[in-house]
Amino acid sequence: MRLEFNPFYCESLTMSSKDREDIENFSVVHADTGKGLLNYLKTYAAADEMHGAMRTYLVRMTKTNECVGYFSLKAGLVSLQEAEFDGAILFDTLPGVELANFAVNRNYVQKYQARGIGSVLFTNFIIPLIKSASEYIGVCLVYLFALPQPGLLKNYERYGFRRLTSDAEEKLHRRLKPTYDQSCIFMYRLLSSPNN
């Protein structure tokens, strides 16, 4: 699938020679905290794509085909309102899409002094893809597990993401947090949000 928003386009990973070259040359803006994003793209994205576990998209400039960034999406659910009843833990679930990986290519940022490109990618590629999926299956929200860095959390808040209350967040983390996201913080954005 190809999605366009001038001057960019995105396509799901095919592991073509161009995809392999872009992955090899990809670097993250924050090398210290972004190494997991880089490792995923270079080591696991192709296998997850092949097995249908996650869909990864490369975003490129239309005129030059330079790689601008990448993101990965997968189906999921969020469990809320935990309560105990007769020794069992009960909770409600909401269908969602997890934004599992999201990174801008440092090479692109440095070359073009492109600030704020993450917002462009989120608004014009990630949200439209999720909304497209919601036309066929139930999807109420998009969620992620963000690194606990104040600047990053503020960026996601600008994109319309929110955190749960401390109590609800603790309960959700106990049930839902993946092992590879141990230090991360759950954030969500309703698809019906006024920012859409």
Side-chain angles (χ1 to χ4, degrees), residues 42-59:
K42 293 183 183 234
T43 309
Y44 301 105
D48 280 353
E49 188 78 25
M50 185 172 61
H51 295 110
M54 192 154 0
R55 188 72 63 217
T56 295
Y57 294 86
L58 296 178
V59 181

Side-chain angles (χ1 to χ4, degrees), residues 36-175:
L37 292 166
L38 195 57
N39 184 47
Y40 176 80
L41 181 62
K42 293 183 183 234
T43 309
Y44 301 105
D48 280 353
E49 188 78 25
M50 185 172 61
H51 295 110
M54 192 154 0
R55 188 72 63 217
T56 295
Y57 294 86
L58 296 178
V59 181
R60 296 186 175 100
M61 289 186 69
T62 304
K63 287 185 179 177
T64 64
N65 284 325
E66 291 173 88
C67 187
V68 174
Y70 92 94
F71 60 91
S72 303
L73 302 172
K74 67 179 179 178
L77 63 83
V78 173
S79 57
L80 298 172
Q81 301 177 6
E82 179 179 306
E84 193 168 332
F85 181 75
D86 278 345
I89 296 176
L90 306 175
F91 49 84
D92 296 328
T93 60
L94 292 174
V97 172
E98 182 180 347
L99 175 56
N101 299 292
F102 182 25
V104 174
N105 190 348
R106 184 181 70 155
N107 301 324
Y108 171 81
V109 172
Q110 288 178 334
K111 183 175 179 180
Y112 295 100
Q113 300 299 301
R115 298 182 66 56
I117 193 67
S119 178
V120 171
L121 302 185
F122 181 79
T123 303
N124 298 292
F125 293 106
I126 295 170
I127 289 297
L129 280 167
I130 293 170
K131 283 190 167 194
S132 176
S134 75
E135 293 176 18
Y136 302 99
I137 59 172
V139 176
C140 296
L141 52 86
V142 56
Y143 67 94
L144 52 83
F145 292 92
L147 289 169
Q149 301 167 346
L152 182 61
L153 297 175
K154 283 194 185 311
N155 272 347
Y156 283 127
E157 287 171 0
R158 280 193 288 273
Y159 299 167
F161 284 87
R162 294 181 280 180
R163 290 180 67 174
L164 297 170
T165 64
S166 297
D167 183 51
E169 186 175 276
E170 180 184 326
K171 288 176 179 176
L172 182 131
H173 282 181
R174 236 187 2 251
R175 289 187 307 276

